[in-house]
């Protein structure tokens, strides 16, 4: 196999990685990569790309046998964020290329890319924490360092949206609300390694995605000041809507805005005719989990980040 680490991917390789992600999702029943990883296949992203391909002879034989030609493994290393924190990475291997050392090779290059960038280690995501991922992590001496819970609730009995005299909830306006939303999001997720780093460019990239609708991003204002938001995401043709990001200004914590916006989300998604709502929340965020559990959400999946033991 051939391994290459590059700063940017040619468009044809980026397309092949998207195809790899689709194949892996179809086989494993869970997405290979998070949304941001797929967006960062584009040029100018703050990442290192690790691409594993078959050697020429194997690729030629595979093409004759109908095996997919192109990357058999891919990893992306997020090199943004604070320089004194571990890098973050995701990786995936085609089903027909597993148990051949591809995953171990990707892990090795991911670690080297982080080290070359001066980062103190790397944390690797495993969506669904599947047995193959656990085995790969164990073989590399990695342990779980972070958990991200996926929670879901049926919408057949969604309560009506609550109202408050001191808060106005309205839809997002493209071209007018981006900067205010980014500032709120940064305050609300100041300690979050991914969400708190979103920029206006990141928002505008999502505005170009096929799932984006301005009316799915709800803003809560008090006296004209943005104090909370709830962004929902519904993929075309889906029956489940995601509570994509719920942000409450830290100065407003404990005032019930989280519960208020959750009721608006559930009513909004039910009004679109969806059957379920889901969301992702940090396993250690007890306050957020309690809010969602009161609204009926229950944990249905756990994603984890593996890393070397602190020492």
């Amino acid at each position: 196999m051939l391994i290459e680490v590059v700063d940017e991917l040619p468009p044809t390789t980026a397309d092949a990685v998207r195809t790899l992600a689709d194949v892996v999702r179809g086989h494993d029943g869970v997405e290979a990569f998070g949304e941001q990883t797929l967006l960062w296949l584009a040029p100018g992203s703050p990442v290192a790309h690790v691409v594993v391909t078959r050697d020429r002879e194997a690729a030629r034989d595979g093409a004759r046998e109908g095996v997919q030609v192109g990357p058999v493994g891919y990893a992306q290393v997020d090199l943004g964020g604070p320089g004194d924190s571990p890098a973050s990475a995701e990786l995936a291997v085609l089903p027909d290329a597993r148990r051949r050392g591809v995953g171990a090779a990707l892990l090795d290059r991911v670690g080297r890319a982080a080290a070359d960038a001066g980062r103190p280690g790397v944390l690797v995501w495993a969506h669904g924490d599947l047995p193959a991922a656990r085995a790969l992590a164990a073989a590399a001496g990695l342990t779980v360092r972070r958990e991200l819970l996926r929670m879901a609730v049926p919408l057949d009995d969604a309560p009506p949206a609550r109202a408050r005299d001191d808060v106005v909830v309205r839809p997002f306006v493209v071209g007018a609300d981006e900067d205010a939303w980014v500032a709120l999001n940064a305050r609300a997720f100041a300690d979050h390694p991914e969400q708190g780093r979103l920029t206006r460019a990141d928002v505008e990239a999502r505005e170009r995605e096929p799932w984006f609708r301005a009316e799915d991003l709800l803003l809560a204002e008090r006296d004209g000041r943005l104090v909370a938001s709830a962004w929902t995401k519904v993929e075309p043709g889906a029956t489940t809507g995601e509570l994509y990001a719920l942000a409450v200004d830290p100065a407003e914590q404990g005032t019930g805005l989280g519960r208020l916006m959750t009721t608006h989300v559930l009513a909004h998604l039910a009004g679109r005719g969806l059957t379920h709502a889901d969301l992702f929340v940090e396993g250690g965020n007890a306050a957020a989990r309690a809010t969602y559990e009161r609204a009926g959400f229950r944990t249905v999946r756990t994603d984890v980040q593996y890393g070397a033991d602190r020492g």
Side-chain angles (χ1 to χ4, degrees), residues 4-193:
E4 186 178 17
V5 182
V6 296
D7 294 330
E8 293 194 359
L9 294 178
T12 54
T13 303
D15 287 341
V17 171
R18 294 185 185 97
T19 299
L20 179 152
D22 290 340
V23 172
V24 170
R25 179 171 187 165
H27 180 272
D28 293 344
V30 62
E31 63 268 22
F33 304 119
E35 177 188 56
Q36 189 63 65
T37 294
L38 295 175
L39 290 173
W40 274 341
L41 295 175
S45 301
V47 302
H49 307 275
V50 186
V51 183
V52 179
T53 55
R54 296 179 173 91
D55 59 39
R56 290 185 178 84
E57 182 177 350
R60 186 172 58 249
D61 293 344
R64 284 199 297 264
E65 297 169 6
V67 175
Q68 179 181 330
V69 176
V72 298
Y74 171 78
Q76 187 180 107
V77 189
D78 174 7
L79 298 174
D84 59 353
S85 64
S88 176
E90 294 191 310
L91 64 86
V93 179
L94 283 177
D96 70 354
R98 294 175 182 176
R99 301 179 183 273
R100 301 181 185 180
V102 177
L106 284 169
L107 269 183
D108 176 69
R109 292 303 179 96
V110 160
R112 283 199 251 169
D116 290 345
R119 304 301 286 272
V122 61
L123 301 176
V124 183
W125 279 110
H127 297 288
D129 196 20
L130 301 176
R134 291 198 295 269
L136 180 62
L142 306 180
T143 58
V144 174
R145 297 278 297 276
R146 179 182 171 197
E147 290 186 337
L148 189 67
L149 308 182
R150 182 175 184 175
M151 306 180 75
V153 63
L155 293 172
D156 50 4
D157 195 26
R162 293 181 181 176
R164 280 176 46 168
D165 293 339
D166 62 329
V167 175
V168 174
V169 178
R170 66 169 178 85
F172 178 86
V173 178
V174 173
D177 288 325
E178 285 85 354
D179 289 338
W181 184 88
V182 168
L184 168 69
N185 187 71
R187 294 193 301 273
F189 293 99
D191 297 327
H192 195 282

Side-chain angles (χ1 to χ4, degrees), residues 210-212 216 232-242 269 272 274:
W211 56 263
F212 177 79
D216 289 339
T232 60
K233 173 183 177 182
V234 183
E235 295 284 0
T239 59
T240 295
E242 179 185 349
L269 293 176
R272 290 193 59 179
L274 301 172

Side-chain angles (χ1 to χ4, degrees), residues 279-294:
L279 56 86
F280 288 92
V281 63
E282 294 287 335
N285 191 338
R289 289 175 61 184
T291 294
Y292 298 137
E293 287 169 356
R294 281 195 296 269

